Amino acid sequence: MQAKYIQIKNAITGHIEDGSWLPTEKIPSENELAEQFGVSRMTARRALDELCAAGFLVRSQGLGTFVADRRPMSSMLEIHNIAEEIADRGHAYSCRVAKLNRVSSDKRKAILLSVQEGQEIFHSTLVHFESGIPVQYEDRYVNPVFAPDYGLQDFNVQTPNVYLSSVAPLTEADHIVEAVLPSKAIAKSLKMDHSDPCLKITRRTWSKKGVVSFAYLYHPGDRYRLGSHLNF
Amino acid sequence: MQAKYIQIKNAITGHIEDGSWLPTEKIPSENELAEQFGVSRMTARRALDELCAAGFLVRSQGLGTFVADRRPMSSMLEIHNIAEEIADRGHAYSCRVAKLNRVSSDKRKAILLSVQEGQEIFHSTLVHFESGIPVQYEDRYVNPVFAPDYGLQDFNVQTPNVYLSSVAPLTEADHIVEAVLPSKAIAKSLKMDHSDPCLKITRRTWSKKGVVSFAYLYHPGDRYRLGSHLNF
DNA sequence: CAGTGGTCTAGACCACTGG
DNA sequence: CAGTGGTCTAGACCACTGG
């Protein structure tokens, strides 16, 4: 005898897999599922919670539960999704958008994005906060061919990373990790001392058709580490 | 106001991270935790369920809940071998052994190596050079159970990494990457300025039967970077 | 046997969303 | 406002483990 919550999970993934519930579509509410399956709301919730953790569903308080529009990403990539990482730690995530505009690409940026020198590209800078404390300064350049509406986004709703993944599914990424001293402007944004070290990650991401974006991510050395969950 | 189950999760991971609850150790039962935190059993369960899903705990019906004996592996860094890396770039590799002796393990080292506090362990420090320029300071501790002859090796012939892999085949590794300022001694060994940033990698390696070794690897920020290329 | 985790109920109050 | 998901309670019965 299967547990009831497992039967409900199988029924839901069945609907998703056979296409009767399409990506982004709203699915029945907790109360509706509880009634349909003749279980308590807590049992219906358990099925939804687990499918949500597995990346099949997305839930939003006050709105409902929806079929996820993308498959769960690889765990390697999740290491670099700052908003998710902070939420997973149970801390409050927030961000401040400092810049969002178009710039003309100089030679180096043109090469990195595989565009013509002088072509207009998007430029954004953001500061990401964990429980109100700045933990990442993001300096990003985006190829407008893959994300023509990048300049209109509200990154308080969806981080650049998540938005770009939705418009141009990620197929490849490339990282460089190094230790540097921050510029004065970056030190100020991160509320750290100019003489304290920063962990800098340079990241380029590809979609099937080319380079979507590259970003310089700066983290205060004493507030951010890459790797496993060990603490000493 | 944090949710109660998140407070309980943080309390538990705190005990694990500070070493007061060791791997494979039994932790309080659901009922005990519920009483300690003044919550219902379902709320205590939720904290345990999520930590179990995250790989921190292992549960067994009828037996209890235990601290997982190995941490989730960090797949972000491949095991890299500095000598090979330098040779691959076509440069001359050399190293200088600064220390090679036995020390008594203090509490932190004992926990990291999964040995009894006070047990003798090997300690070595080396500097690795690329074409005569120092690029890595290696500060390593080794469990003598897996490598009883570690103290007799000539690391100019074979790096500690390669020697250890030959006597205790590597099955797992764990990394932390961070940006720090070097101590004066390390700065001097690396011929770098005390105020320039260092990329620090803390690495633990496992063989089938347990933790073989852990090492702190310091690299001058302007002479060393970590890179990776991922395909999804 | 007493204790453990596994499942489940029928309620409750809350924060949030849209209309 | 009614409906949604988010958290939480105080019970219940079960399968399983060790002694």
Side-chain angles (χ1 to χ4, degrees), chain A residues 18 25 27 40 43 58 63 80 86 110 112 123 143 150 171 200 209 211:
Chain A
D18 71 18
E25 221 170 77
I27 77 165
S40 73
T43 300
V58 173
L63 282 173
H80 300 289
I86 290 169
L112 283 167
H123 178 214
N143 186 342
Y150 188 76
T171 58
K200 177 184 176 186
K209 294 177 184 169
V211 181

Side-chain angles (χ1 to χ4, degrees), chain A residues 63-78:
Chain A
L63 282 173
T65 303
F66 305 84
V67 178
D69 63 346
R70 52 186 180 109
R71 293 297 309 148
M73 288 193 290
S74 95
S75 58
M76 243 182 249
L77 182 66
E78 281 170 352

Side-chain angles (χ1 to χ4, degrees), chain B residues 92-140:
Chain B
Y93 167 78
S94 59
C95 86
R96 184 173 61 77
V97 180
K99 274 187 202 161
L100 179 52
N101 50 24
R102 286 167 173 273
V103 296
S104 172
S105 54
D106 60 18
K107 189 172 182 186
R108 194 176 47 88
K109 295 187 187 75
I111 290 171
L112 285 167
L113 276 184
S114 298
V115 298
Q116 292 290 315
E117 192 175 336
Q119 191 187 309
E120 282 216 324
I121 55 179
F122 288 114
H123 179 214
S124 60
T125 63
L126 283 81
V127 183
H128 301 273
F129 298 85
E130 177 163 0
S131 303
I133 298 165
V135 292
Q136 182 184 94
Y137 179 93
E138 171 183 339
D139 187 24
R140 182 182 293 274

